[in-house]
Amino acid sequence: MKVFKGAITDWNKDKGFGFVRPLGGTDALFVHISSFGIKSAPPLSGQVVYFTPSKDKQGRRCATIVDKHGTPLSKKTRPSSTSAIPLTFRLIIVTTFFVGLISSYLMQSLPVDALYYFLVLSLTAFTTFAIDKRAAQLNRRRISERSLQILSLLGGWPGALLAQQTLRHKSQKRSFRIGLWLAVMINSAILIWLTYQGYLSSFSLIDWVS
């Protein structure tokens, strides 16, 4: 069956249904939340999807959401999470990291600006992941994986780790997962070395930004 491309319109998140309007077309087809499958994120109005025309049990015209190859999303199962690092473990890593920063500040090994630096970068990374996730759902221009990895390497990895798991974004591609954990280790190693050498004792976030 031919696969069409369309956009979600008039989505009612409370009732779990809306319509799909073919790109360049006028006739919208009814679509139910069950057509998206358990793997998919909740639909959004304006989100671009692939679909095939079909009929429900009452014989009414509707849309079946599929992937670009024509496989219904409702027939797909959620991938195994055995390869993913659990959120609890990520929270422990991030919490331990910031506790270490605070302790270093209290012991006067690091200035408070270093703590602010990692907080700002982490929030920026989390927000950037969220923006890229939304862009993927709406089939808009994406943020490159290289940019996400560089942001993590510079110090935004705590936010990236949490965003990857909570947003279910960039969590399936093996090369990206490996790259992110490498960024975590490299950034942490550099931070430890710079702290040990005393290079961060006079670190100023304002001077670094400017």
Side-chain angles (χ1 to χ4, degrees), residues 11-210:
W11 183 260
N12 189 321
K13 64 179 181 180
D14 295 324
K15 296 184 178 180
F17 69 81
F19 297 87
V20 177
R21 188 178 303 279
L23 298 184
T26 56
D27 296 331
L29 297 176
F30 175 85
V31 62
H32 190 264
I33 184 67
S34 60
S35 183
F36 288 86
I38 60 175
K39 179 183 177 182
S40 305
L44 299 171
S45 291
Q47 178 179 343
V48 176
V49 296
Y50 293 97
F51 73 94
T52 57
S54 59
K55 292 184 179 181
D56 60 17
K57 296 179 180 180
Q58 286 74 40
R60 297 173 297 188
R61 296 181 70 245
C62 62
T64 298
I65 305 301
V66 300
D67 61 19
K68 61 182 179 180
H69 303 295
T71 303
L73 298 188
S74 59
K75 293 184 178 180
K76 291 188 174 184
T77 58
R78 188 178 299 277
S80 172
S81 59
T82 55
S83 61
I85 305 299
L87 178 60
T88 301
F89 184 67
R90 292 168 186 254
L91 285 171
I92 292 174
I93 292 176
V94 173
T95 301
T96 301
F97 175 72
F98 279 105
V99 168
L101 290 179
I102 295 173
S103 299
S104 297
Y105 163 68
L106 294 176
M107 293 186 295
Q108 300 183 342
S109 298
L110 283 176
V112 70
D113 283 25
L115 176 60
Y116 293 152
Y117 170 84
F118 281 99
L119 280 173
V120 170
L121 264 292
S122 295
L123 290 174
T124 301
F126 193 98
T127 302
T128 304
F129 268 70
I131 292 173
D132 189 53
K133 170 80 172 184
R134 181 64 181 268
Q137 292 175 330
L138 299 180
N139 201 31
R140 294 176 179 173
R141 185 174 180 178
R142 302 285 302 280
I143 298 172
S144 69
E145 291 187 353
R146 182 180 180 182
S147 297
L148 296 176
Q149 296 286 25
I150 290 176
L151 185 57
S152 300
L153 182 61
L154 288 176
W157 61 263
L161 284 183
L162 297 181
Q164 186 185 51
Q165 188 72 5
T166 58
L167 302 177
R168 299 296 184 190
H169 189 53
K170 299 295 183 181
S171 59
Q172 297 301 316
K173 191 172 182 179
R174 180 180 177 84
S175 60
F176 187 90
R177 298 201 312 269
I178 294 175
L180 178 56
W181 284 107
L182 283 174
V184 172
M185 291 185 288
I186 293 173
N187 179 264
S188 299
I190 292 175
L191 175 62
I192 293 172
W193 183 79
L194 291 176
T195 302
Y196 180 78
Q197 295 295 327
Y199 294 136
L200 295 180
S201 58
S202 59
F203 174 78
S204 171
L205 183 59
I206 296 178
D207 292 342
W208 186 83
V209 173
S210 60

